[in-house]
Amino acid sequence: MEQCTDKAGKNSEEKKIFLDIACFFNGQDEDRVTEVLNSCDFSAIIGIQVLIERSLLTVSHGRLRMHDFLQELGWDIVRGASPNKPGKWSRLWLLKDIEHVLTKNTGTEAIEGIFVDSTKLGVDMDVTPKSFSMMNKLRYLKIENGNLPKGLEFLPNSLWILDWTRYPLKSLPSHFNPQKLLELGLSHSCIKHVQIGTEPLCNLKTINLSHSLNLVSTPNFKGMPYLEFLYLEGCIRLYEVDPTIECRWLKSLKVLNLSGCSRVNKLPNDTCHLECLEELYLNGTGIKELPTSTEVLEILTVLNFKDCKYLVRLPSSVGGLKSLKYLNLSGCSKLDQLPDELGPVACLEKLDVSGTGIREVPSSIGLLKNLKELSLAGCKARSPKSWNMMFDPFQLLRKRSHIQAGLSLPCLSRLHSLTELDPSDCNLSEDAMPNDFGCLSSLKSSISAEINLLDYLRASANL
């Protein structure tokens, strides 16, 4: 009897996985779907494998695929539970059904998921304050443009995924305490402060508040020990990252995106505990410098400072970023030098310093044996100006002899992996060019500098 019960339980779980994929996750990344289903206490790996063995599911290029016929079968199973009464279905995925339930307030505890793909036509409807009050088993809520003209009194604490694009209120309901929450997405929302209950959110892995123009502060991170992804791109009123990001236990963070947060002008001083950080996007921020503790970010692969107009220097600790593959400093007009010791950044594949004030590329760049792309476009070394020089032509002539005319390049012969080089608009002269360009056997393209670089290459190679 016990074996029959176990088998029935497994079949029930496999059925739920089948219906979740049919209604919500068909065509999505297998790893992400597995993670979501696991978080809902399903044995997702086993369940998905069983569905594959029964030819109910396939995997193609890392994505779960279900035949149209089987997907429609799943839809029919959901609808068949209570024909013509979507408020009693376990899953809602069509706009007309979701509108009916949320505007008429007909939802029941049978509903486990409401999912409208944001890439399709968005939802534009008025949601009542108590629309979710009976949905005590709701696991997934993903909608777009749901208006709340009279506010929102309730969100189910049972939620695993809350993804509400253009959420119209400044805060979440005060009694919302979703201790099982895995993903929080409120991009393009009106949210101002994010406070989620009073208990730790030990399952929370992703927060996406991108382009929320009213956001002024990030959440307190003390109760989010396993947070992995934090997206704050385009939050133009955000002025700081909460200091609790320095917390010793917040060491699961993999991606921090502050792109376009122009009011953020510094990072927390201590980044020692962000040991799992892989990608850091600071482009378009008001950042002036990096904390010296940056060197501990040993698995950081992406560091983006594009258009950081106030960035004046990089600490020497950047040399400790042993896994860094992509470093973008383009448009950092106040940055006039790179750290002398770039050699330890041996994994670097792409370096963009175009539009900076850099006058001289350090010789240690020759140690970057994996460097594939190097952009120096617009790195013009401009001579310093003063009132005396402007009005004293003799002084100007005297100084001109030892003022650097343009960007200076070191020996590049050891950059055997270099395939793309852009030295355009750098005031380069023949004297400033290294004589080893002909040794760059992997070079495929090079945008012409102010001198004819192609001719120079031929001459250097004695062609």
Side-chain angles (χ1 to χ4, degrees), residues 223-282:
M224 305 174 185
Y226 301 107
L227 188 68
E228 294 183 3
F229 305 96
L230 179 57
Y231 302 103
L232 300 165
E233 179 181 0
C235 296
I236 58 176
R237 290 184 174 84
L238 181 68
Y239 60 89
E240 71 170 350
V241 179
D242 195 280
T244 53
I245 201 170
E246 297 180 3
C247 291
R248 184 175 301 275
W249 55 83
L250 190 66
K251 55 186 179 181
S252 298
L253 195 65
K254 295 179 179 179
V255 177
L256 175 57
N257 191 332
L258 291 163
S259 302
C261 298
S262 54
R263 293 191 180 187
V264 175
N265 56 25
K266 66 177 182 178
L267 290 177
N269 293 325
D270 188 0
T271 58
C272 293
H273 305 305
L274 301 180
E275 56 194 47
C276 289
L277 198 65
E278 298 176 7
E279 301 177 17
L280 179 57
Y281 299 90
L282 300 169

Side-chain angles (χ1 to χ4, degrees), residues 74-95:
W75 294 348
D76 289 341
I77 292 173
V78 172
R79 292 180 180 124
S82 187
N84 302 318
K85 293 183 179 180
K88 294 185 178 182
W89 298 348
S90 62
R91 294 157 181 84
L92 300 173
W93 63 95
L94 295 179
L95 176 56

Side-chain angles (χ1 to χ4, degrees), residues 286-302:
I287 294 290
K288 297 179 181 179
E289 59 183 2
L290 275 178
T292 54
S293 58
T294 304
E295 62 184 352
V296 302
L297 306 179
E298 293 188 352
I299 65 172
L300 191 72
T301 60
V302 175

Side-chain angles (χ1 to χ4, degrees), residues 134-182:
M134 298 298 294
M135 303 183 195
N136 295 319
K137 295 181 181 178
L138 191 67
R139 293 181 285 133
Y140 313 132
L141 176 57
K142 182 175 181 179
I143 61 176
E144 185 174 351
N145 297 336
N147 302 320
L148 294 165
K150 297 182 180 178
L152 183 64
E153 295 181 6
F154 180 84
L155 277 173
N157 291 334
S158 55
L159 281 172
W160 290 93
I161 294 179
L162 173 56
D163 188 349
W164 193 322
T165 304
R166 295 179 178 86
Y167 177 75
L169 303 181
K170 293 182 179 180
S171 62
L172 294 167
S174 57
H175 297 293
F176 183 45
N177 192 19
Q179 294 184 47
K180 297 179 179 180
L181 194 65
L182 176 72

Side-chain angles (χ1 to χ4, degrees), residues 20 55 66 103-104 125-126 194 214 269 300 303 314 318 346 374 388-389 425 452 454:
D20 272 0
S55 301
M66 185 177 288
T103 59
K104 303 295 183 182
M125 59 189 174
D126 289 343
V194 182
N214 293 322
N269 293 325
L300 191 72
L303 182 54
L314 291 178
V318 168
L374 175 59
N388 290 335
M389 288 178 63
D425 197 25
N452 192 322
L454 182 58

Side-chain angles (χ1 to χ4, degrees), residues 21-177:
I21 295 173
C23 297
F24 305 141
F25 303 125
N26 189 16
Q28 294 199 16
D29 181 77
E30 180 185 12
D31 291 339
R32 178 184 180 274
V33 176
T34 300
E35 180 182 41
V36 171
L37 294 174
N38 278 336
S39 71
C40 294
D41 297 328
F42 293 150
S43 300
I45 295 176
I46 296 174
I48 289 174
Q49 186 58 41
V50 168
L51 295 178
I52 292 172
E53 291 172 356
R54 293 178 180 176
S55 301
L56 298 174
L57 199 61
T58 60
V59 179
S60 177
H61 302 292
R63 294 184 175 273
L64 297 175
R65 305 287 182 184
M66 185 177 288
H67 192 278
D68 291 348
F69 171 78
L70 293 172
Q71 185 174 38
E72 290 181 9
L73 174 63
W75 294 348
D76 289 341
I77 292 173
V78 172
R79 292 180 180 124
S82 187
N84 302 318
K85 293 183 179 180
K88 294 185 178 182
W89 298 348
S90 62
R91 294 157 181 84
L92 300 173
W93 63 95
L94 295 179
L95 176 56
K96 62 182 180 65
D97 298 324
I98 294 170
E99 283 185 309
H100 181 274
V101 170
L102 297 184
T103 59
K104 303 295 183 182
N105 197 17
T106 59
T108 68
E109 63 177 8
I111 299 177
E112 297 181 33
I114 297 174
F115 222 90
V116 176
D117 191 337
S118 60
T119 61
K120 298 178 181 178
L121 182 64
V123 179
D124 188 10
M125 59 189 174
D126 289 343
V127 181
T128 68
K130 296 183 179 181
S131 288
F132 304 100
S133 59
M134 298 298 294
M135 303 183 195
N136 295 319
K137 295 181 181 178
L138 191 67
R139 293 181 285 133
Y140 313 132
L141 176 57
K142 182 175 181 179
I143 61 176
E144 185 174 351
N145 297 336
N147 302 320
L148 294 165
K150 297 182 180 178
L152 183 64
E153 295 181 6
F154 180 84
L155 277 173
N157 291 334
S158 55
L159 281 172
W160 290 93
I161 294 179
L162 173 56
D163 188 349
W164 193 322
T165 304
R166 295 179 178 86
Y167 177 75
L169 303 181
K170 293 182 179 180
S171 62
L172 294 167
S174 57
H175 297 293
F176 183 45
N177 192 19

